[in-house]
């Protein structure tokens, strides 16, 4: 039934979009598998709520349309020589209720935010924040116990957008109309008042099939947050009025071992599974030229990462890898008996079915069976598809720690903790490298590729740019690049 809906929508594409695009009134759908009410205060933020908070509640810094860190509440900043102090000079701006922003309010809001986010996925990175102090005039200082090398990237995340007494500071103001959020850019403030631009962005959250149908019928102009599991739906909406934009983003895409029964507690068996997966065959099923296989835990080109050798079997072709893996599995079963089907948790969606079919075939070739389960069911392996919050080796290693899976390395965790408190850059890089080598030896994660995110963009839409973060701020849409 769903396939029929998307195909029907695809036939309507040209008829529904022939009138072009109105950049003064843009309609944006954010894909969510289980859409929730768009709200900036409910944590964790849903994808649509993250876009809303980013647009209406600035942090000290932000990401621009191309994914670069740029000024937001802060007009400029300096970092002390020891990297333990970040001093931000605030712009002269106002909260959305018209009151001028003060350094005391910003410091208090940021302290509150960091206390709350300390219990979130950012907790490990925020552990080194010591104090946040308002200084004379429009200055806020963040003091650290140990350097946080990627602090600016962290502060640019939408979760760090600051709110004072239910008021953000733009760059947009939102109004809820008929269940959707209508956003308009703030203009130059005159006599304490806030003027609003006539241009409007209408933000909604929908399931993937509905968003694609709405796009095909001309009811929306931009779809954000497309993931690999939604990709097969795109073929029905490929027309002259639209273009799919892929963002090859850094992060983790692969299988994490989360159960440690007799078979999986053997690291050689886990390595055999990693060897068996034919990554190029899996990725080419989706026909994305920017989707590249990976064999390492952290990207090989990542800044501040030591050069770490690929697995010994990386030089073998896939037939040789499978032959070696098949021998490992056969030897284990001869001594211990047959292995039950491995349960692999993956998201719902046609793309997941395709990926699982490839993995299932690869495992069958070495004598193993598998079944696909949902994330809410017991599993042996879980597909991880995460975009990196920051450009740090520590982020990748933290996702594979003993907090994430029972198959882990306590020594790697200790090394990662030591890296967090290291005050010398070279020591931090060395500790990250040692921790990564420990995790490689543990073999608790199977890297497959970099993550990929996609957007569906109607021709003529201004202000949209592909970028290495897969993040597309609403305030730039409908506007000529500057």
């Amino acid at each position: 039934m769903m396939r029929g809906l998307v195909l029907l929508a695809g036939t309507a594409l040209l008829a529904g979009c022939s009138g072009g695009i109105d950049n003064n009134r843009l309609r944006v759908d954010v894909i969510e598998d289980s859409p929730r009410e768009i709200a900036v205060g409910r944590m964790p933020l849903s994808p649509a709520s993250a876009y809303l908070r980013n647009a209406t509640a600035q942090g000290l810094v932000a990401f621009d349309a191309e994914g670069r860190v740029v000024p937001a509440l802060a007009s400029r900043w300096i970092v002390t020589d020891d990297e333990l102090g970040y001093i931000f000079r605030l712009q002269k701006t106002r909260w959305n209720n018209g009151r001028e922003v003060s350094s005391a309010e910003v410091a208090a809001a940021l302290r509150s935010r960091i206390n709350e986010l300390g219990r979130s996925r950012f907790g490990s990175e925020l552990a080194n924040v010591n104090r946040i102090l308002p200084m004379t005039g429009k200055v806020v200082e963040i003091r650290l116990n140990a350097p946080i090398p990627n602090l600016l990237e962290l502060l640019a995340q939408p979760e760090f957008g600051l709110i004072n007494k239910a008021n953000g500071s733009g760059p947009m103001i939102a109004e809820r109309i008929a269940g959707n959020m209508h956003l308009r850019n703030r203009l130059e403030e005159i006599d304490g008042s806030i003027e609003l631009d006539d241009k409007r962005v209408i933000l909604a959250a929908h399931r993937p099939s509905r968003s694609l149908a709405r796009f095909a019928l001309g009811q929306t102009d931009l779809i954000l947050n497309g993931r690999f599991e939604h990709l097969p739906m795109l073929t029905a909406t490929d027309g002259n009025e639209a273009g799919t934009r892929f963002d090859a983003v850094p992060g983790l895409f692969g299988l994490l071992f989360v159960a440690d029964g007799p078979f999986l507690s053997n690291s050689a068996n886990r390595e055999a599974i990693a060897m068996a997966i034919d990554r190029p065959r899996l990725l080419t099923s989706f026909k994305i030229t920017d989707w590249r296989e990976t064999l390492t835990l952290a990207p090989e080109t990542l800044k501040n990462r030591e050069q770490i050798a690929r697995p010994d079997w990386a030089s073998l072709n896939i037939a040789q890898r499978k032959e070696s893996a098949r021998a490992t599995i056969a030897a284990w079963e001869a001594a211990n008996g047959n292995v039950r089907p491995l349960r692999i948790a993956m998201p719902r969606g046609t793309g997941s079915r395709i990926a699982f079919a490839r993995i299932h075939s690869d495992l069958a070739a070495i004598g193993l069976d598998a079944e696909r389960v949902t994330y809410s069911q017991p599993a042996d392996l879980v597909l991880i598809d995460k975009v990196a919050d920051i450009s740090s080796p520590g982020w990748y290693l933290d996702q594979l720690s003993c907090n994430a899976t029972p198959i882990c390395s306590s020594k790697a965790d200790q090394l990662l903790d030591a890296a967090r408190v290291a005050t010398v850059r070279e020591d931090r890089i060395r500790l990250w490298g040692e921790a990564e080598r420990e995790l490689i030896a543990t073999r608790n994660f199977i890297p497959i590729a970099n993550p990929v995110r996609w957007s569906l963009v109607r021709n003529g839409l201004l202000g949209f740019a592909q970028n290495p973060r897969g993040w597309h701020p609403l305030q730039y849409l409908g506007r000529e690049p500057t």
Side-chain angles (χ1 to χ4, degrees), residues 234-262:
L234 279 173
T235 56
T237 56
D238 185 17
N240 294 328
E241 297 291 332
T244 307
R245 305 287 186 266
F246 291 101
D247 296 313
V249 292
L252 292 174
F253 185 92
L255 295 170
L256 179 67
F257 291 95
V258 293
D260 56 354

Side-chain angles (χ1 to χ4, degrees), residues 114 116 192 224 243 268 277 288 352 375 391 424:
I114 285 178
E116 183 179 3
L224 299 173
I277 295 177
I288 308 173
S352 283
Y375 286 123
S391 307
V424 178

Side-chain angles (χ1 to χ4, degrees), residues 10 46 52 61 99 106 111 113 135 161 168 231 240 243 285 289 316 337 366-367 383 390 395 435 446 471 482:
S46 67
L52 178 64
V61 293
R99 290 183 56 255
V106 169
R111 277 195 297 269
R113 200 78 195 121
M135 310 297 283
L231 279 168
N240 294 328
S285 302
T289 57
L316 304 177
I366 64 169
L383 180 71
I390 56 176
W395 181 90
I446 301 175
W471 181 254
T482 57

Side-chain angles (χ1 to χ4, degrees), residues 270-398:
R270 299 196 298 272
E271 184 171 43
I273 295 171
M275 294 172 66
I277 295 177
D278 188 341
R279 292 159 180 80
R281 179 170 173 260
L282 189 159
L283 300 180
T284 53
S285 302
F286 295 91
K287 301 178 181 178
I288 308 173
T289 57
D290 289 333
W291 211 3
R292 309 290 188 190
E293 70 168 313
T294 58
L295 295 171
T296 56
L297 302 185
E300 293 176 283
T301 57
L302 185 65
K303 185 178 179 181
N304 293 328
R305 178 182 181 268
E306 283 193 336
Q307 283 195 333
I308 296 174
R310 290 183 171 189
D312 293 339
W313 47 263
S315 60
L316 304 177
N317 62 42
I318 190 61
Q320 293 169 325
R321 294 178 193 178
K322 286 185 175 180
E323 181 180 358
S324 175
R326 189 183 306 113
T328 298
I329 302 304
W332 194 91
E333 288 190 326
N336 300 278
N338 293 337
V339 180
R340 63 165 173 79
L342 298 175
R343 300 161 298 180
I344 303 178
M346 303 180 75
R348 302 180 188 276
T350 308
S352 283
R353 290 197 292 272
I354 293 172
F356 176 76
R358 295 288 185 248
I359 294 171
H360 183 273
S361 173
D362 291 335
L363 295 182
I366 64 169
L368 295 175
D369 194 9
E371 60 184 34
R372 179 169 162 251
V373 299
T374 66
Y375 286 123
S376 62
Q377 295 175 296
D380 301 302
L381 298 95
V382 171
L383 180 71
I384 301 296
D385 182 9
K386 291 184 178 180
V387 178
D389 294 316
I390 56 176
S391 307
S392 164
W395 181 90
Y396 292 83
L397 307 180
D398 195 43

Side-chain angles (χ1 to χ4, degrees), residues 12 52 69 77 103 117 214 228 274 296 328 356 386 423 442 450 470:
L52 178 64
V69 174
W77 53 87
S103 58
L117 293 174
R214 281 167 47 82
F228 89 97
T296 56
T328 298
F356 176 76
K386 291 184 178 180
T423 57
T442 303
N450 60 281

Side-chain angles (χ1 to χ4, degrees), residues 404-426:
T405 172
I407 299 179
C408 61
S409 167
S410 58
K411 184 176 180 180
D413 284 6
Q414 291 167 5
L415 290 164
L416 188 54
D417 288 340
R420 286 196 189 96
V421 299
T423 57
V424 178
R425 175 178 175 273
E426 289 73 18

Side-chain angles (χ1 to χ4, degrees), residues 30-32 34-57 113 116-117 120-122 154 156-163 203 205 225 227 389 471:
V30 180
I31 288 179
E32 295 182 8
S34 300
R36 296 188 291 169
E37 181 182 29
I38 303 175
V40 298
R42 182 185 298 153
M43 301 298 290
L45 292 173
S46 67
S49 295
Y51 272 104
L52 178 64
R53 186 167 188 124
N54 178 257
T56 60
R113 200 78 195 121
E116 183 179 3
L117 293 174
S120 73
R121 72 180 194 272
F122 302 108
L154 202 65
Q157 298 291 334
E159 286 83 355
F160 289 83
L162 301 182
I163 294 175
L203 178 68
N225 195 45
R227 302 165 71 97
D389 294 316
W471 181 254

